[in-house]
Amino acid sequence: MAKKTYKGRPVLPGELTGKALVSREPFNTTVSYIDNLFGGVTDKAPCTDSDNNELYGTDLSGMILCTPQTIGSTMGGIALIGVAELGVGPKAMLFSAHIDSLSAAGLVIEDVWNEKRIITIDQLGDEFMKSVNTGDPIAIHEDGTVEVG
Amino acid sequence: MDRRQFVKLIPAGALASGSLLALNANAQDGKVQDKATGTSGGDQGKVTGPSASVKPGDYKEYMKNIHNPPGSDPFGLDEQGKGIKGFRAVGTGSNVKDRPDADKPVKMKLTREEQDILDGKQGPELAKVMKTVVEHGQLFGATELVELGGAPHSAMFSAPDYMDSCLTIFERCADAGLKAYAPYTINPRPWDLYNEEISSKEATMALDGYKLQNRLDKLHMRLGSRNRKAWSCTSYLPEVGNHPPLGTNVAWAESSAVNYGNSVLGIRSNRNAVAMELMCALIGKAPKFGLLTDEGRKAKWLIELRTKGEPNWGVVGAAIGFKVVEDVPYIVGADKYMGGKVSPESIVKLKMMGSATASSGAVGLYHVEGVTPEAAKQGRDLLAEGYQTYVIDDAELARVRGGYKNLWDDKNGKPTRVHIGCPHATFEEIRQWGVRITKALKEAKQEKVAIPVNIGCSRFVEEHFLDEYPILYRDMKRAGVTFTNICILCFSGLAGFGKLERPVTNSSKARVYTNARLYDDGPLTQIIVTGEVPS
């Protein structure tokens, strides 16, 4: 596939390569990690959002999430801290829209306090969301550039 | 999770002397002349109710029992649990997506003292607190920090297992001697083992669900919280006392408190994520963006209320929340029902409407023409350029209400519990319900409410009510009404409870978060007396 490049805002910059995990619907953080947050599961992160047709049942451990935005509970930020501390949190979060304040709080706190960076880029644009597919090779760069393919 | 037997305690014994039927007539009007202390009376017996089982880690059961809300505040899902199409709230209570330079990095200008703190001159923990607050604010365009006044309000109020790492972070702050800039209030606790009508098995269920609760309680005390009587989602009420003066900057969490504070008190707070509000409290500052700015407080929606009579304010709020999501609405046509001012009577309506805008949407601030302080002063100058208009008439409210589904497992079952006080009830609200309930029981020649009636409120408000209306308070208690300072949502949201209970409520917010069905005050009073859903 032809390589495409998108430029976003580096919220928590870093360099990373891996494969995309795509949720075209906004990713509901709390609902997706119910087994980790409330079910006692600590060795993997099965997506528990049964309405997320793309990710339901998929192990979210170490994912590079590509989604328009996260939604949901005001606990969403703390949820990200919780799964990161279990070792099953995302490696990177790539948003096509503006990051929401709840995720931003959790990601910044995890970065500052636990020194575990979940690389985060936002405002990558609708075109990014339209073209990226689960399994696509992803290369993230410090300046917020994301290469797909 | 083991199969649980749901045991309700309901009053069953004969009343001692001074029964409801022998009430002082004045008490029926809610104005008690005799303020003598009421005496307790009545035996209690146990009645076994329905039961249910939930398997460990069974998220489907869990989700079924916490009842996916349709709004944006809790989960951003519709009533079928599907993601809301096009939902893009950024969660600040003020829409930042339209900020023209949102893609450009922002560097906050710090004072010398702030920079020193960031550089670690007051210790590594405070430096991390400052770094967290600054970095978060810069993401939303803040170029400076503002001093916070009044007192903080925290929504970090329940502690399941996953809170462990978050508690550890704040325990590091407490170990370093950090405290909030002022003694603060907190949302209500998720259980009430003293007053709530629950069995020992249910109490065990609550203790299992919130295993780290005592650790959280202790943490808050170390960080400078007020005592547990001040744990209430309506901490802004005069009895509780966290009501900073107009224009004060704060960094609160709890959607309904932020919504009320911004709108009715005229203070300035963004909708903060749980944990971020405590970070701001420890530093005594917050990033200036969104609802902390004049521009962010402008209304992008004009809401024209055109109902023929007084509407259900919770449904009005839900309609607004669904429509504007997180933008600021300016509401006209409501002032005539509110006496044209903020008063004990109107704050009941404002609280019900506002909390619904914040639970069916993510509204952090609304203006009511001729009532709320900024609207009273600035009028329609508060409307932003290019604002949109939304008309709410009886047909629109019927349409919104028609979308409310019956989420009871047994859809035709009888109600099992009445929830009043979400958000926590005000003094006037309790008085009104006391009059309604005791009057209706008297007319029905009945001593007891038919099903448990829980009134959630701060202990300070309950004590105020007891002081002013001791006979009415006594008669409510004798009739079986329970006063509790629990969070009704946490109580009903516990895994398993949704399957056990068929609650009814007057709260549009409680309807969103739980399986409770919403009723107007008249039908709800009928349910309290008969235990039956009105035909």
Side-chain angles (χ1 to χ4, degrees):
Chain A
M1 63 182 289
K3 187 177 284 188
K4 291 185 177 176
T5 303
Y6 302 92
K7 180 74 171 70
R9 178 177 67 156
V11 172
L12 293 170
E15 296 275 342
L16 182 70
T17 56
K19 292 196 171 175
L21 203 59
V22 175
S23 174
R24 289 183 212 285
E25 287 296 310
F27 180 79
N28 192 310
T29 310
T30 306
V31 177
S32 296
Y33 287 116
I34 288 289
D35 272 0
N36 301 112
L37 302 178
F38 300 102
V41 176
T42 59
D43 58 341
K44 56 187 175 181
C47 177
T48 46
D49 183 356
S50 61
D51 296 302
N52 189 326
N53 295 323
E54 293 155 297
L55 298 186
Y56 173 55
T58 303
D59 187 357
L60 305 176
S61 305
M63 68 175 170
I64 297 177
L65 176 67
C66 304
T67 193
Q69 189 181 46
T70 48
I71 59 169
S73 165
T74 50
M75 301 185 304
I78 291 179
L80 284 171
I81 298 171
V83 292
E85 288 305 292
L86 287 176
V88 296
K91 278 186 181 166
M93 300 187 79
L94 304 179
F95 300 113
S96 62
H98 197 296
I99 192 170
D100 71 286
S101 69
L102 308 175
S103 280
L107 293 165
V108 169
I109 289 171
E110 181 66 4
D111 190 62
V112 171
W113 288 87
N114 294 330
E115 297 176 358
K116 289 180 184 166
R117 171 156 297 191
I118 298 169
I119 295 170
T120 306
I121 314 291
D122 77 348
Q123 301 178 73
L124 283 159
D126 292 341
E127 192 55 40
F128 165 74
M129 212 59 246
K130 281 180 193 164
S131 62
V132 68
N133 292 298
T134 291
D136 284 350
I138 293 273
I140 306 170
H141 300 291
E142 284 275 342
D143 65 352
T145 301
V146 174
E147 294 169 354
V148 180
Chain B
M1 201 175 290
D2 295 327
R3 182 178 176 85
R4 298 184 178 96
Q5 195 74 13
F6 177 55
V7 181
K8 288 181 288 187
L9 290 172
I10 62 167
L15 285 175
S17 61
S19 73
L20 264 167
L21 298 178
L23 274 174
N24 179 335
N26 287 329
Q28 295 301 301
D29 297 322
K31 197 67 190 171
V32 180
Q33 304 300 320
D34 177 5
K35 289 193 175 179
T37 304
T39 55
S40 62
D43 300 322
Q44 289 191 321
K46 291 181 179 177
V47 176
T48 304
S51 61
S53 62
V54 179
K55 293 175 189 169
D58 187 337
Y59 78 93
K60 281 186 179 172
E61 279 302 309
Y62 181 85
M63 290 310 296
K64 202 187 289 180
N65 283 301
I66 60 174
H67 297 281
N68 300 334
S72 56
D73 184 46
F75 289 109
L77 302 174
D78 66 17
E79 286 180 343
Q80 284 74 47
K82 303 280 185 192
I84 296 169
K85 295 281 181 195
F87 176 79
R88 294 290 185 276
V90 294
T92 64
S94 173
N95 196 331
V96 301
K97 67 178 183 292
D98 299 331
R99 189 158 50 86
D101 56 352
D103 59 335
K104 295 186 174 58
V106 172
K107 183 73 177 168
M108 201 178 283
K109 189 177 178 185
L110 300 179
T111 65
R112 169 62 63 85
E113 185 195 13
E114 290 163 354
Q115 188 63 51
D116 284 349
I117 291 172
L118 189 63
D119 293 342
K121 291 181 181 171
Q122 293 189 34
E125 284 76 20
L126 200 60
K128 281 179 185 282
V129 173
M130 178 64 87
K131 188 167 193 277
T132 305
V133 172
V134 168
E135 286 192 2
H136 183 259
Q138 287 177 164
L139 292 175
F140 297 90
T143 55
E144 62 177 315
L145 297 174
V146 294
E147 293 282 340
L148 300 179
H153 179 82
S154 175
M156 191 184 288
F157 67 112
S158 62
D161 285 349
Y162 76 90
M163 284 291 292
D164 180 55
S165 55
C166 193
L167 293 179
T168 302
I169 289 169
F170 286 103
E171 283 165 348
R172 285 165 62 187
C173 296
D175 290 344
L178 303 188
K179 279 189 183 297
Y181 67 89
Y184 63 95
T185 51
I186 309 165
N187 269 8
R189 301 179 86 245
W191 69 58
D192 175 1
L193 303 182
Y194 296 98
N195 303 300
E196 190 60 83
E197 297 174 43
I198 55 174
S199 67
S200 57
K201 282 190 177 179
E202 286 177 305
T204 305
M205 196 181 198
L207 292 165
D208 283 345
Y210 302 104
K211 280 185 190 152
L212 305 180
Q213 196 64 34
N214 285 347
R215 193 173 146 200
L216 175 62
D217 286 13
K218 183 180 172 185
L219 171 65
H220 276 306
M221 290 169 196
R222 294 179 71 202
L223 293 176
S225 71
R226 290 173 59 192
N227 71 36
R228 289 190 206 178
K229 281 169 75 174
W231 287 45
S232 170
C233 49
T234 54
S235 55
Y236 47 75
L237 293 175
E239 293 90 341
V240 189
N242 192 354
H243 54 137
L246 183 86
T248 307
N249 289 314
V250 298
W252 285 3
E254 165 50 35
S255 66
S256 66
V258 169
N259 175 286
Y260 185 98
N262 274 316
S263 311
V264 184
L265 300 182
I267 61 175
R268 295 184 168 212
S269 175
N270 282 319
R271 281 166 60 99
N272 290 283
V274 175
M276 190 52 71
E277 92 282 28
L278 272 182
M279 290 285 169
C280 292
L282 293 177
I283 206 82
K285 294 169 188 284
K288 187 176 181 182
F289 69 93
L291 297 176
L292 270 57
T293 68
D294 291 341
E295 193 59 32
R297 297 177 77 84
K298 292 252 180 176
K300 291 187 176 172
W301 285 89
L302 174 67
I303 310 295
E304 294 185 7
L305 186 64
R306 293 187 195 162
T307 53
K308 286 181 181 159
E310 181 161 3
N312 179 307
W313 294 103
V315 181
V316 170
I320 294 170
F322 287 137
K323 177 64 73 177
V324 311
V325 186
E326 64 178 337
D327 286 334
V328 178
Y330 184 95
I331 304 159
V332 300
D335 51 331
K336 62 187 173 197
Y337 302 113
M338 300 193 180
K341 62 182 179 183
V342 173
S343 67
E345 291 77 20
S346 68
I347 66 170
V348 178
K349 301 170 185 181
L350 292 165
K351 176 178 74 94
M352 298 307 273
M353 181 183 75
S355 61
T357 68
S359 50
S360 290
V363 174
L365 162 68
Y366 60 87
H367 303 292
V368 178
E369 189 166 69
V371 179
T372 55
E374 283 163 87
K377 189 176 176 188
Q378 299 176 56
R380 298 193 185 192
D381 288 347
L382 283 167
L383 286 165
E385 195 177 334
Y387 67 85
Q388 300 178 75
T389 300
Y390 173 44
V391 175
I392 298 179
D393 55 16
D394 293 308
E396 177 63 356
L397 289 182
R399 184 191 68 78
V400 169
R401 204 160 183 159
Y404 294 175
K405 293 180 177 57
N406 178 351
L407 297 174
W408 291 352
D409 265 19
D410 178 0
K411 298 198 183 320
N412 298 313
K414 291 184 179 179
T416 58
R417 188 180 294 268
V418 178
H419 283 311
I420 294 166
C422 176
H424 272 179
T426 72
F427 175 89
E428 171 61 16
E429 196 173 3
I430 297 171
R431 189 196 68 77
Q432 290 175 5
W433 275 105
V435 171
R436 267 187 213 113
I437 293 169
T438 53
K439 188 175 175 203
L441 287 171
K442 187 180 181 188
E443 286 170 359
K445 297 186 172 22
Q446 194 173 316
E447 293 181 344
K448 295 281 189 182
V449 294
I451 55 176
V453 177
N454 296 348
I455 296 184
C457 63
S458 157
R459 285 282 298 148
F460 287 114
V461 174
E462 183 184 351
E463 286 168 3
H464 180 200
F465 185 68
L466 170 61
D467 189 41
E468 294 293 329
Y469 291 97
I471 294 175
L472 187 55
Y473 179 83
R474 178 199 67 188
D475 291 335
M476 291 169 77
K477 298 277 279 186
R478 285 181 176 176
V481 173
T482 298
F483 291 82
T484 171
N485 61 352
I486 202 172
C487 168
I488 285 170
L489 305 181
C490 284
F491 176 74
S492 295
L494 268 176
F497 270 77
K499 209 170 182 63
L500 298 169
E501 294 258 9
R502 293 181 295 276
V504 290
T505 185
N506 66 333
S507 164
S508 204
K509 174 170 180 169
R511 186 201 70 80
V512 168
Y513 282 80
T514 73
N515 65 334
R517 292 173 68 182
L518 179 76
Y519 287 94
D520 291 336
D521 294 348
L524 194 60
T525 307
Q526 227 178 310
I527 292 171
I528 290 169
V529 173
T530 65
E532 307 270 352
V533 171
S535 53

